[in-house]
mmCIF file with all atom_site columns, all heavy atoms in Angstrom:
data_model
loop_
_atom_site.group_PDB
_atom_site.id
_atom_site.type_symbol
_atom_site.label_atom_id
_atom_site.label_alt_id
_atom_site.label_comp_id
_atom_site.label_asym_id
_atom_site.label_entity_id
_atom_site.label_seq_id
_atom_site.pdbx_PDB_ins_code
_atom_site.Cartn_x
_atom_site.Cartn_y
_atom_site.Cartn_z
_atom_site.occupancy
_atom_site.B_iso_or_equiv
_atom_site.pdbx_formal_charge
_atom_site.auth_seq_id
_atom_site.auth_comp_id
_atom_site.auth_asym_id
_atom_site.auth_atom_id
_atom_site.pdbx_PDB_model_num
ATOM 1   N N   . GLU T 1 115 ? 26.470 -6.090 121.467 1.00 72.00 ? 148 GLU T N   1
ATOM 2   C CA  . GLU T 1 115 ? 27.524 -5.689 120.536 1.00 72.00 ? 148 GLU T CA  1
ATOM 3   C C   . GLU T 1 115 ? 28.031 -4.284 120.842 1.00 72.00 ? 148 GLU T C   1
ATOM 4   O O   . GLU T 1 115 ? 29.232 -4.003 120.737 1.00 72.00 ? 148 GLU T O   1
ATOM 5   C CB  . GLU T 1 115 ? 26.974 -5.747 119.107 1.00 72.00 ? 148 GLU T CB  1
ATOM 6   C CG  . GLU T 1 115 ? 28.032 -5.480 118.047 1.00 72.00 ? 148 GLU T CG  1
ATOM 7   C CD  . GLU T 1 115 ? 27.473 -5.638 116.637 1.00 72.00 ? 148 GLU T CD  1
ATOM 8   O OE1 . GLU T 1 115 ? 26.267 -5.913 116.502 1.00 72.00 ? 148 GLU T OE1 1
ATOM 9   O OE2 . GLU T 1 115 ? 28.255 -5.475 115.689 1.00 72.00 ? 148 GLU T OE2 1
ATOM 10  N N   . HIS T 1 116 ? 27.128 -3.399 121.227 1.00 71.00 ? 149 HIS T N   1
ATOM 11  C CA  . HIS T 1 116 ? 27.546 -2.036 121.510 1.00 71.00 ? 149 HIS T CA  1
ATOM 12  C C   . HIS T 1 116 ? 28.528 -1.982 122.682 1.00 71.00 ? 149 HIS T C   1
ATOM 13  O O   . HIS T 1 116 ? 29.572 -1.312 122.605 1.00 71.00 ? 149 HIS T O   1
ATOM 14  C CB  . HIS T 1 116 ? 26.323 -1.170 121.810 1.00 71.00 ? 149 HIS T CB  1
ATOM 15  C CG  . HIS T 1 116 ? 26.672 0.238  122.183 1.00 71.00 ? 149 HIS T CG  1
ATOM 16  N ND1 . HIS T 1 116 ? 27.137 1.144  121.257 1.00 71.00 ? 149 HIS T ND1 1
ATOM 17  C CD2 . HIS T 1 116 ? 26.645 0.886  123.392 1.00 71.00 ? 149 HIS T CD2 1
ATOM 18  C CE1 . HIS T 1 116 ? 27.372 2.284  121.866 1.00 71.00 ? 149 HIS T CE1 1
ATOM 19  N NE2 . HIS T 1 116 ? 27.080 2.152  123.166 1.00 71.00 ? 149 HIS T NE2 1
ATOM 20  N N   . GLU T 1 117 ? 28.170 -2.696 123.777 1.00 74.00 ? 150 GLU T N   1
ATOM 21  C CA  . GLU T 1 117 ? 29.059 -2.724 124.930 1.00 74.00 ? 150 GLU T CA  1
ATOM 22  C C   . GLU T 1 117 ? 30.409 -3.363 124.566 1.00 74.00 ? 150 GLU T C   1
ATOM 23  O O   . GLU T 1 117 ? 31.457 -2.941 125.044 1.00 74.00 ? 150 GLU T O   1
ATOM 24  C CB  . GLU T 1 117 ? 28.406 -3.487 126.084 1.00 74.00 ? 150 GLU T CB  1
ATOM 25  C CG  . GLU T 1 117 ? 27.232 -2.762 126.716 1.00 74.00 ? 150 GLU T CG  1
ATOM 26  C CD  . GLU T 1 117 ? 26.601 -3.571 127.836 1.00 74.00 ? 150 GLU T CD  1
ATOM 27  O OE1 . GLU T 1 117 ? 27.042 -4.716 128.055 1.00 74.00 ? 150 GLU T OE1 1
ATOM 28  O OE2 . GLU T 1 117 ? 25.686 -3.045 128.481 1.00 74.00 ? 150 GLU T OE2 1
ATOM 29  N N   . SER T 1 118 ? 30.306 -4.399 123.678 1.00 71.00 ? 151 SER T N   1
ATOM 30  C CA  . SER T 1 118 ? 31.550 -5.052 123.250 1.00 71.00 ? 151 SER T CA  1
ATOM 31  C C   . SER T 1 118 ? 32.464 -4.063 122.522 1.00 71.00 ? 151 SER T C   1
ATOM 32  O O   . SER T 1 118 ? 33.678 -4.000 122.784 1.00 71.00 ? 151 SER T O   1
ATOM 33  C CB  . SER T 1 118 ? 31.202 -6.227 122.338 1.00 71.00 ? 151 SER T CB  1
ATOM 34  O OG  . SER T 1 118 ? 32.388 -6.806 121.829 1.00 71.00 ? 151 SER T OG  1
ATOM 35  N N   . TYR T 1 119 ? 31.855 -3.307 121.595 1.00 78.00 ? 152 TYR T N   1
ATOM 36  C CA  . TYR T 1 119 ? 32.664 -2.323 120.884 1.00 78.00 ? 152 TYR T CA  1
ATOM 37  C C   . TYR T 1 119 ? 33.211 -1.245 121.821 1.00 78.00 ? 152 TYR T C   1
ATOM 38  O O   . TYR T 1 119 ? 34.353 -0.782 121.691 1.00 78.00 ? 152 TYR T O   1
ATOM 39  C CB  . TYR T 1 119 ? 31.845 -1.682 119.742 1.00 78.00 ? 152 TYR T CB  1
ATOM 40  C CG  . TYR T 1 119 ? 31.799 -2.554 118.512 1.00 78.00 ? 152 TYR T CG  1
ATOM 41  C CD1 . TYR T 1 119 ? 30.587 -3.031 118.024 1.00 78.00 ? 152 TYR T CD1 1
ATOM 42  C CD2 . TYR T 1 119 ? 32.966 -2.881 117.831 1.00 78.00 ? 152 TYR T CD2 1
ATOM 43  C CE1 . TYR T 1 119 ? 30.543 -3.830 116.893 1.00 78.00 ? 152 TYR T CE1 1
ATOM 44  C CE2 . TYR T 1 119 ? 32.935 -3.668 116.711 1.00 78.00 ? 152 TYR T CE2 1
ATOM 45  C CZ  . TYR T 1 119 ? 31.718 -4.157 116.234 1.00 78.00 ? 152 TYR T CZ  1
ATOM 46  O OH  . TYR T 1 119 ? 31.697 -4.942 115.126 1.00 78.00 ? 152 TYR T OH  1
ATOM 47  N N   . GLU T 1 120 ? 32.358 -0.834 122.754 1.00 80.00 ? 153 GLU T N   1
ATOM 48  C CA  . GLU T 1 120 ? 32.810 0.188  123.701 1.00 80.00 ? 153 GLU T CA  1
ATOM 49  C C   . GLU T 1 120 ? 34.038 -0.306 124.484 1.00 80.00 ? 153 GLU T C   1
ATOM 50  O O   . GLU T 1 120 ? 35.017 0.424  124.643 1.00 80.00 ? 153 GLU T O   1
ATOM 51  C CB  . GLU T 1 120 ? 31.682 0.534  124.680 1.00 80.00 ? 153 GLU T CB  1
ATOM 52  C CG  . GLU T 1 120 ? 30.587 1.406  124.094 1.00 80.00 ? 153 GLU T CG  1
ATOM 53  C CD  . GLU T 1 120 ? 31.083 2.814  123.813 1.00 80.00 ? 153 GLU T CD  1
ATOM 54  O OE1 . GLU T 1 120 ? 32.009 3.285  124.518 1.00 80.00 ? 153 GLU T OE1 1
ATOM 55  O OE2 . GLU T 1 120 ? 30.570 3.435  122.868 1.00 80.00 ? 153 GLU T OE2 1
ATOM 56  N N   . LEU T 1 121 ? 33.942 -1.550 124.951 1.00 79.00 ? 154 LEU T N   1
ATOM 57  C CA  . LEU T 1 121 ? 35.078 -2.109 125.703 1.00 79.00 ? 154 LEU T CA  1
ATOM 58  C C   . LEU T 1 121 ? 36.306 -2.259 124.803 1.00 79.00 ? 154 LEU T C   1
ATOM 59  O O   . LEU T 1 121 ? 37.442 -1.995 125.213 1.00 79.00 ? 154 LEU T O   1
ATOM 60  C CB  . LEU T 1 121 ? 34.694 -3.467 126.293 1.00 79.00 ? 154 LEU T CB  1
ATOM 61  C CG  . LEU T 1 121 ? 33.686 -3.409 127.453 1.00 79.00 ? 154 LEU T CG  1
ATOM 62  C CD1 . LEU T 1 121 ? 33.237 -4.820 127.837 1.00 79.00 ? 154 LEU T CD1 1
ATOM 63  C CD2 . LEU T 1 121 ? 34.323 -2.719 128.664 1.00 79.00 ? 154 LEU T CD2 1
ATOM 64  N N   . LYS T 1 122 ? 36.069 -2.683 123.562 1.00 83.00 ? 155 LYS T N   1
ATOM 65  C CA  . LYS T 1 122 ? 37.180 -2.846 122.621 1.00 83.00 ? 155 LYS T CA  1
ATOM 66  C C   . LYS T 1 122 ? 37.892 -1.513 122.374 1.00 83.00 ? 155 LYS T C   1
ATOM 67  O O   . LYS T 1 122 ? 39.117 -1.412 122.401 1.00 83.00 ? 155 LYS T O   1
ATOM 68  C CB  . LYS T 1 122 ? 36.653 -3.420 121.313 1.00 83.00 ? 155 LYS T CB  1
ATOM 69  C CG  . LYS T 1 122 ? 37.726 -3.576 120.251 1.00 83.00 ? 155 LYS T CG  1
ATOM 70  C CD  . LYS T 1 122 ? 37.132 -4.073 118.950 1.00 83.00 ? 155 LYS T CD  1
ATOM 71  C CE  . LYS T 1 122 ? 38.222 -4.161 117.870 1.00 83.00 ? 155 LYS T CE  1
ATOM 72  N NZ  . LYS T 1 122 ? 37.658 -4.547 116.557 1.00 83.00 ? 155 LYS T NZ  1
ATOM 73  N N   . TRP T 1 123 ? 37.046 -0.476 122.129 1.00 86.00 ? 156 TRP T N   1
ATOM 74  C CA  . TRP T 1 123 ? 37.665 0.834  121.872 1.00 86.00 ? 156 TRP T CA  1
ATOM 75  C C   . TRP T 1 123 ? 38.422 1.345  123.108 1.00 86.00 ? 156 TRP T C   1
ATOM 76  O O   . TRP T 1 123 ? 39.485 1.969  122.990 1.00 86.00 ? 156 TRP T O   1
ATOM 77  C CB  . TRP T 1 123 ? 36.586 1.832  121.454 1.00 86.00 ? 156 TRP T CB  1
ATOM 78  C CG  . TRP T 1 123 ? 35.957 1.456  120.136 1.00 86.00 ? 156 TRP T CG  1
ATOM 79  C CD1 . TRP T 1 123 ? 36.527 0.773  119.105 1.00 86.00 ? 156 TRP T CD1 1
ATOM 80  C CD2 . TRP T 1 123 ? 34.625 1.747  119.721 1.00 86.00 ? 156 TRP T CD2 1
ATOM 81  N NE1 . TRP T 1 123 ? 35.661 0.614  118.067 1.00 86.00 ? 156 TRP T NE1 1
ATOM 82  C CE2 . TRP T 1 123 ? 34.452 1.215  118.402 1.00 86.00 ? 156 TRP T CE2 1
ATOM 83  C CE3 . TRP T 1 123 ? 33.525 2.407  120.301 1.00 86.00 ? 156 TRP T CE3 1
ATOM 84  C CZ2 . TRP T 1 123 ? 33.259 1.323  117.690 1.00 86.00 ? 156 TRP T CZ2 1
ATOM 85  C CZ3 . TRP T 1 123 ? 32.347 2.516  119.570 1.00 86.00 ? 156 TRP T CZ3 1
ATOM 86  C CH2 . TRP T 1 123 ? 32.224 1.970  118.285 1.00 86.00 ? 156 TRP T CH2 1
ATOM 87  N N   . ALA T 1 124 ? 37.805 1.091  124.259 1.00 84.00 ? 157 ALA T N   1
ATOM 88  C CA  . ALA T 1 124 ? 38.487 1.525  125.488 1.00 84.00 ? 157 ALA T CA  1
ATOM 89  C C   . ALA T 1 124 ? 39.830 0.811  125.625 1.00 84.00 ? 157 ALA T C   1
ATOM 90  O O   . ALA T 1 124 ? 40.849 1.413  126.006 1.00 84.00 ? 157 ALA T O   1
ATOM 91  C CB  . ALA T 1 124 ? 37.602 1.248  126.702 1.00 84.00 ? 157 ALA T CB  1
ATOM 92  N N   . GLY T 1 125 ? 39.830 -0.487 125.331 1.00 85.00 ? 158 GLY T N   1
ATOM 93  C CA  . GLY T 1 125 ? 41.081 -1.242 125.398 1.00 85.00 ? 158 GLY T CA  1
ATOM 94  C C   . GLY T 1 125 ? 42.108 -0.722 124.410 1.00 85.00 ? 158 GLY T C   1
ATOM 95  O O   . GLY T 1 125 ? 43.309 -0.638 124.722 1.00 85.00 ? 158 GLY T O   1
ATOM 96  N N   . GLU T 1 126 ? 41.649 -0.394 123.196 1.00 88.00 ? 159 GLU T N   1
ATOM 97  C CA  . GLU T 1 126 ? 42.580 0.145  122.198 1.00 88.00 ? 159 GLU T CA  1
ATOM 98  C C   . GLU T 1 126 ? 43.148 1.495  122.640 1.00 88.00 ? 159 GLU T C   1
ATOM 99  O O   . GLU T 1 126 ? 44.336 1.776  122.449 1.00 88.00 ? 159 GLU T O   1
ATOM 100 C CB  . GLU T 1 126 ? 41.859 0.278  120.854 1.00 88.00 ? 159 GLU T CB  1
ATOM 101 C CG  . GLU T 1 126 ? 41.560 -1.062 120.199 1.00 88.00 ? 159 GLU T CG  1
ATOM 102 C CD  . GLU T 1 126 ? 40.715 -0.908 118.936 1.00 88.00 ? 159 GLU T CD  1
ATOM 103 O OE1 . GLU T 1 126 ? 40.237 0.216  118.692 1.00 88.00 ? 159 GLU T OE1 1
ATOM 104 O OE2 . GLU T 1 126 ? 40.584 -1.898 118.205 1.00 88.00 ? 159 GLU T OE2 1
ATOM 105 N N   . ARG T 1 127 ? 42.241 2.309  123.234 1.00 90.00 ? 160 ARG T N   1
ATOM 106 C CA  . ARG T 1 127 ? 42.763 3.596  123.720 1.00 90.00 ? 160 ARG T CA  1
ATOM 107 C C   . ARG T 1 127 ? 43.789 3.394  124.843 1.00 90.00 ? 160 ARG T C   1
ATOM 108 O O   . ARG T 1 127 ? 44.814 4.073  124.887 1.00 90.00 ? 160 ARG T O   1
ATOM 109 C CB  . ARG T 1 127 ? 41.600 4.473  124.208 1.00 90.00 ? 160 ARG T CB  1
ATOM 110 C CG  . ARG T 1 127 ? 40.762 5.066  123.103 1.00 90.00 ? 160 ARG T CG  1
ATOM 111 C CD  . ARG T 1 127 ? 39.851 6.163  123.622 1.00 90.00 ? 160 ARG T CD  1
ATOM 112 N NE  . ARG T 1 127 ? 38.933 5.683  124.647 1.00 90.00 ? 160 ARG T NE  1
ATOM 113 C CZ  . ARG T 1 127 ? 37.721 5.159  124.394 1.00 90.00 ? 160 ARG T CZ  1
ATOM 114 N NH1 . ARG T 1 127 ? 37.288 5.047  123.141 1.00 90.00 ? 160 ARG T NH1 1
ATOM 115 N NH2 . ARG T 1 127 ? 36.952 4.761  125.383 1.00 90.00 ? 160 ARG T NH2 1
ATOM 116 N N   . ASP T 1 128 ? 43.471 2.461  125.719 1.00 86.00 ? 161 ASP T N   1
ATOM 117 C CA  . ASP T 1 128 ? 44.419 2.178  126.808 1.00 86.00 ? 161 ASP T CA  1
ATOM 118 C C   . ASP T 1 128 ? 45.754 1.670  126.253 1.00 86.00 ? 161 ASP T C   1
ATOM 119 O O   . ASP T 1 128 ? 46.834 2.084  126.710 1.00 86.00 ? 161 ASP T O   1
ATOM 120 C CB  . ASP T 1 128 ? 43.844 1.138  127.768 1.00 86.00 ? 161 ASP T CB  1
ATOM 121 C CG  . ASP T 1 128 ? 42.707 1.704  128.606 1.00 86.00 ? 161 ASP T CG  1
ATOM 122 O OD1 . ASP T 1 128 ? 42.593 2.946  128.685 1.00 86.00 ? 161 ASP T OD1 1
ATOM 123 O OD2 . ASP T 1 128 ? 41.956 0.904  129.184 1.00 86.00 ? 161 ASP T OD2 1
ATOM 124 N N   . ALA T 1 129 ? 45.647 0.760  125.281 1.00 88.00 ? 162 ALA T N   1
ATOM 125 C CA  . ALA T 1 129 ? 46.873 0.210  124.699 1.00 88.00 ? 162 ALA T CA  1
ATOM 126 C C   . ALA T 1 129 ? 47.669 1.294  123.976 1.00 88.00 ? 162 ALA T C   1
ATOM 127 O O   . ALA T 1 129 ? 48.905 1.350  124.066 1.00 88.00 ? 162 ALA T O   1
ATOM 128 C CB  . ALA T 1 129 ? 46.531 -0.931 123.738 1.00 88.00 ? 162 ALA T CB  1
ATOM 129 N N   . ASP T 1 130 ? 46.955 2.167  123.247 1.00 89.00 ? 163 ASP T N   1
ATOM 130 C CA  . ASP T 1 130 ? 47.646 3.250  122.541 1.00 89.00 ? 163 ASP T CA  1
ATOM 131 C C   . ASP T 1 130 ? 48.314 4.203  123.523 1.00 89.00 ? 163 ASP T C   1
ATOM 132 O O   . ASP T 1 130 ? 49.450 4.656  123.312 1.00 89.00 ? 163 ASP T O   1
ATOM 133 C CB  . ASP T 1 130 ? 46.635 4.004  121.667 1.00 89.00 ? 163 ASP T CB  1
ATOM 134 C CG  . ASP T 1 130 ? 47.329 4.967  120.726 1.00 89.00 ? 163 ASP T CG  1
ATOM 135 O OD1 . ASP T 1 130 ? 48.101 4.506  119.866 1.00 89.00 ? 163 ASP T OD1 1
ATOM 136 O OD2 . ASP T 1 130 ? 47.107 6.180  120.848 1.00 89.00 ? 163 ASP T OD2 1
ATOM 137 N N   . GLU T 1 131 ? 47.587 4.503  124.612 1.00 91.00 ? 164 GLU T N   1
ATOM 138 C CA  . GLU T 1 131 ? 48.171 5.378  125.634 1.00 91.00 ? 164 GLU T CA  1
ATOM 139 C C   . GLU T 1 131 ? 49.398 4.713  126.277 1.00 91.00 ? 164 GLU T C   1
ATOM 140 O O   . GLU T 1 131 ? 50.396 5.379  126.577 1.00 91.00 ? 164 GLU T O   1
ATOM 141 C CB  . GLU T 1 131 ? 47.132 5.707  126.706 1.00 91.00 ? 164 GLU T CB  1
ATOM 142 C CG  . GLU T 1 131 ? 47.624 6.649  127.795 1.00 91.00 ? 164 GLU T CG  1
ATOM 143 C CD  . GLU T 1 131 ? 48.105 7.980  127.242 1.00 91.00 ? 164 GLU T CD  1
ATOM 144 O OE1 . GLU T 1 131 ? 47.549 8.443  126.229 1.00 91.00 ? 164 GLU T OE1 1
ATOM 145 O OE2 . GLU T 1 131 ? 49.057 8.547  127.821 1.00 91.00 ? 164 GLU T OE2 1
ATOM 146 N N   . TYR T 1 132 ? 49.287 3.403  126.486 1.00 90.00 ? 165 TYR T N   1
ATOM 147 C CA  . TYR T 1 132 ? 50.419 2.676  127.064 1.00 90.00 ? 165 TYR T CA  1
ATOM 148 C C   . TYR T 1 132 ? 51.635 2.712  126.125 1.00 90.00 ? 165 TYR T C   1
ATOM 149 O O   . TYR T 1 132 ? 52.787 2.903  126.552 1.00 90.00 ? 165 TYR T O   1
ATOM 150 C CB  . TYR T 1 132 ? 50.003 1.230  127.339 1.00 90.00 ? 165 TYR T CB  1
ATOM 151 C CG  . TYR T 1 132 ? 51.124 0.376  127.853 1.00 90.00 ? 165 TYR T CG  1
ATOM 152 C CD1 . TYR T 1 132 ? 51.723 0.654  129.075 1.00 90.00 ? 165 TYR T CD1 1
ATOM 153 C CD2 . TYR T 1 132 ? 51.613 -0.699 127.110 1.00 90.00 ? 165 TYR T CD2 1
ATOM 154 C CE1 . TYR T 1 132 ? 52.768 -0.113 129.547 1.00 90.00 ? 165 TYR T CE1 1
ATOM 155 C CE2 . TYR T 1 132 ? 52.660 -1.471 127.578 1.00 90.00 ? 165 TYR T CE2 1
ATOM 156 C CZ  . TYR T 1 132 ? 53.237 -1.177 128.801 1.00 90.00 ? 165 TYR T CZ  1
ATOM 157 O OH  . TYR T 1 132 ? 54.263 -1.934 129.256 1.00 90.00 ? 165 TYR T OH  1
#
Side-chain angles (χ1 to χ4, degrees):
E148 186 176 2
H149 177 72
E150 290 179 356
S151 175
Y152 279 119
E153 284 291 331
L154 289 173
K155 178 183 177 184
W156 295 331
E159 289 174 351
R160 286 193 300 272
D161 289 343
D163 190 63
E164 182 58 33
Y165 176 64

